[in-house]
Amino acid sequence: MMDHPDHPTGSPRTGLVLSGGGARGAYQVGVLKAIADIVPDARPPFGIVTGVSVGAINAVALVSRPFDFRAAVTRLEALWRGLHCERIYRTDVRAIMSRMTAWAGSAAFGRLGVPPPDSILDNNPLRELLEAETDFAAMRQALRAGGAARGGGHRLQLPHRAGGRLP
């Protein structure tokens, strides 16, 4: 373990790593609920939270409510209980036909610079859901209060598309 001003040698730092895999996200929420019941107060028990795919979605939900772990887990559980396919991607005939047409256009005219769609199904509902559920202001506040600026072990890595900044 490295020496760090906020974490002396021998002082444990607990991290949470959430894997990807669709339905694992719901399982993760169950485990997080059990942890929330065990921890003595509402403070987050993890100094580092990271995830991949659905785990990244759950990680963002946790760190967007950085000062109350129990509230974050409760909100995450409500999100998962209300989750339906329509909140992830569009499956209506019009949306599917639009994507198929875009794929066909890309295949036919790709050499002319027509790019293919990013995905087979339109996942804009997922983007909208994540934007609505993520409290970027609270994340900024947490970082200012002792995160990356102080080197306190909290680091926020955003996808390249987001330009590395919070919206």
Side-chain angles (χ1 to χ4, degrees):
M1 185 172 293
M2 296 175 29
D3 283 333
H4 191 280
D6 293 332
H7 297 281
T9 302
S11 174
R13 282 205 274 184
T14 305
L16 177 65
V17 179
L18 300 169
S19 63
R24 269 194 196 115
Y27 169 78
Q28 292 168 358
V29 173
V31 172
L32 290 167
K33 274 184 66 176
I35 293 170
D37 289 342
I38 294 169
V39 295
D41 56 33
R43 288 182 315 180
F46 306 106
I48 300 167
V49 178
T50 188
V52 174
S53 191
V54 74
I57 292 170
N58 285 344
V60 166
L62 290 175
V63 299
S64 72
R65 287 168 180 78
F67 303 108
D68 190 339
F69 181 71
R70 289 187 182 121
V73 171
T74 299
R75 182 66 200 124
L76 190 55
E77 179 186 15
L79 174 76
W80 274 92
R81 286 188 182 276
L83 202 56
H84 300 283
C85 288
E86 303 82 37
R87 295 187 73 192
I88 306 298
Y89 44 77
R90 291 184 52 202
T91 58
D92 57 281
V93 173
R94 182 177 177 193
I96 292 173
M97 292 304 291
S98 174
R99 287 293 201 185
M100 290 176 69
T101 302
W103 278 99
S106 174
F109 303 108
R111 292 182 185 252
L112 299 175
V114 177
D118 291 336
S119 59
I120 294 174
L121 296 175
D122 179 354
N123 58 8
N124 277 318
L126 176 60
R127 180 184 49 79
E128 293 163 2
L129 174 67
L130 295 176
E131 287 174 353
E133 291 294 323
T134 304
D135 187 346
F136 292 105
M139 291 168 76
R140 279 191 294 276
Q141 181 184 1
L143 288 170
R144 274 191 231 106
R150 194 180 62 168
H154 303 277
R155 181 164 184 221
L156 181 62
Q157 180 77 31
L158 295 174
H160 179 68
R161 246 189 244 177
R165 295 182 325 224
L166 291 175

